[in-house]
Amino acid sequence: MSGVAAQPSIAAMAAYALSDPAPEGWTSLNQNESAFGPSPAALEAASLSSSMAALYPDPDWTDLREAIASVHDVQKDQIMCGAGSMELIAALIRAFVGPGDNVVGSQYGYLFVDTACQQVGAQHLRAAETDLTVSIEALGKAVNPSTRIVFLCNPGNPTGTRIANDSILKLREALPPEVILVIDQAYGEFDTQCARPVFDLVGASNTVVLRTFSKAYALAGARVGWGLFPEAIAAQVRKLINPNNVSGVSQAMARAAMLDQANMQQTVSCTAKLREGLREALIASEFQCPESHTNFILIPFTNVEAARRADQRLRDARLVLRGMAGYGLPHCLRATIGAPEAMAKLADVLSGGPRA
């Protein structure tokens, strides 16, 4: 339409790139979705709550927050919920970052942070990683007077690696108090270290911890994320999210899933077993896959062309993995942990072809 112009920062940016959908009849291993279905209790809750679809959902997520608080032994008033953790990330950056400011993240950190920074005309600075693992020293050195947020994805996506809680505590201690530390634990349930030290940072400093129901709880389609927020930060973020952002059905499903910890732990255990089986098979075929603490594995190849040829072989076998060029890892593919037969097929295709 003639005469219509977007804001310069929006016009200059590219849309956030999702992975290619798998054609019908193919196996999708590119979305980091759960290999296992939601809790039966969550499915029952969806059926029961659908009769209330004529009503707006609870804007305070009351029942869901109470469930999260009881399971994680945190204060209900610290909890905010979003339509996926992406909504909370975007609102945090819009609330506290503007033109001329920057957000410091790791070299292979979550790409959506880059998109959220572009939306407000800010920079996203990347601190180098060591062996595909976050370096708190590099993060600290990247902070400058224009830094408003340090964003840490732990465990990391797409690497699957993680740093110890002690390192996170040291990072927080080294940061200026006015800099917000955001710890994205989208894959936190797959990490065997206790989350308590990180959760406790929220009440003691300008720290936010984010989680999601999309991975370990198998509710990616319900779009529910949550986080622990200091009161002053939550007050500003709340202004920027839709007041009815999480549907009533999604809230009911997430609450039921949270209260069914046994099902979640079974999902995590089964996923880890399949993940380690795949990694062992790939290592036996001389792939150097980093240890993963998530529901996926990063598969490095010797060069970009080798990764391209492997991707074509996989597609010939109707398996769709995620290319990592957008993350600066064009020689890598990322494989979501799927059903046992899919993992066996994936290992067979890759072991039968050259890495170079």
Side-chain angles (χ1 to χ4, degrees):
M1 184 181 295
S2 177
V4 175
Q7 290 294 312
S9 61
I10 304 302
M13 66 181 282
Y16 180 69
L18 296 170
S19 56
D20 296 334
E24 185 176 355
W26 291 35
T27 300
S28 172
L29 300 175
N30 62 346
Q31 292 273 40
N32 293 350
E33 297 159 329
S34 175
F36 306 94
S39 159
L43 297 178
E44 181 180 4
S47 178
L48 293 173
S49 63
S50 63
S51 64
M52 305 295 289
L55 306 179
Y56 284 111
D58 178 4
D60 295 318
W61 327 285
T62 305
D63 292 343
L64 175 54
R65 288 198 299 162
E66 288 178 352
I68 295 170
S70 67
V71 168
H72 289 285
D73 190 25
V74 295
Q75 297 298 314
K76 181 180 72 172
D77 292 343
Q78 290 182 330
I79 299 169
M80 293 185 64
C81 299
S85 55
M86 293 176 76
E87 181 184 32
L88 299 175
I89 292 168
L92 268 163
I93 291 175
R94 293 206 313 275
F96 294 97
V97 184
D101 297 334
N102 68 65
V103 173
V104 171
S106 60
Q107 184 176 5
Y108 305 118
Y110 188 27
L111 274 184
F112 180 70
V113 176
D114 200 59
T115 297
C117 286
Q118 291 181 60
Q119 290 174 352
V120 298
Q123 284 187 298
H124 184 202
L125 305 181
R126 300 298 192 98
E129 296 190 8
T130 302
D131 297 328
L132 298 174
T133 303
V134 168
S135 165
I136 62 167
E137 292 79 11
L139 282 173
K141 289 178 181 178
V143 173
N144 61 49
S146 297
T147 302
R148 299 293 172 260
I149 292 176
V150 170
F151 193 92
L152 170 63
C153 188
N154 195 59
N157 177 16
T159 63
T161 60
R162 60 104 161 137
I163 60 175
N165 286 337
D166 286 348
S167 295
I168 297 175
L169 301 183
K170 290 177 183 177
L171 174 62
R172 176 67 270 182
E173 185 177 355
L175 292 175
E178 66 274 14
V179 172
I180 300 171
L181 174 61
V182 178
I183 306 166
D184 181 2
Q185 293 188 325
Y187 301 91
E189 288 80 8
F190 296 92
D191 189 355
T192 56
Q193 63 181 336
C194 175
R196 185 80 261 157
V198 175
F199 285 173
D200 287 345
L201 283 176
V202 176
S205 61
N206 284 337
T207 300
V208 173
V209 179
L210 301 176
R211 289 223 172 178
T212 183
F213 284 89
S214 296
K215 312 303 180 184
Y217 292 97
L219 291 178
R223 307 308 302 128
V224 189
W226 64 276
L228 300 177
F229 290 74
E231 181 179 359
I233 294 176
Q236 303 309 316
V237 171
R238 187 68 187 258
K239 299 173 184 177
L240 295 171
I241 62 175
N242 188 318
N244 297 111
N245 60 343
V246 182
S247 76
V249 172
S250 292
Q251 289 189 44
M253 293 184 76
R255 176 185 178 275
M258 177 59 64
L259 293 176
D260 189 358
Q261 286 293 293
N263 182 270
M264 182 275 289
Q265 291 162 5
Q266 178 73 5
T267 293
V268 169
S269 176
C270 291
T271 301
K273 183 177 180 179
L274 288 167
R275 182 192 67 214
E276 293 312 302
L278 174 62
R279 183 168 180 261
E280 289 172 6
L282 292 175
I283 288 175
S285 296
E286 300 185 347
F287 287 90
Q288 297 182 357
C289 301
E291 184 177 5
S292 175
H293 300 268
T294 64
N295 68 342
F296 60 82
I297 285 181
L298 185 71
I299 308 173
F301 294 81
T302 52
N303 54 54
V304 176
E305 180 58 24
R308 187 198 66 77
R309 291 200 301 268
D311 186 50
Q312 186 57 58
R313 292 199 307 274
L314 290 162
R315 289 175 181 271
D316 290 344
R318 296 192 169 191
L319 297 173
V320 182
L321 274 62
R322 180 80 180 262
M324 291 288 103
Y327 279 90
L329 294 165
H331 66 296
C332 294
L333 299 175
R334 190 190 67 195
T336 303
I337 302 307
E341 56 271 23
M343 297 298 93
K345 187 176 183 180
L346 169 59
D348 184 60
V349 170
L350 291 184
S351 64
R355 294 179 54 244

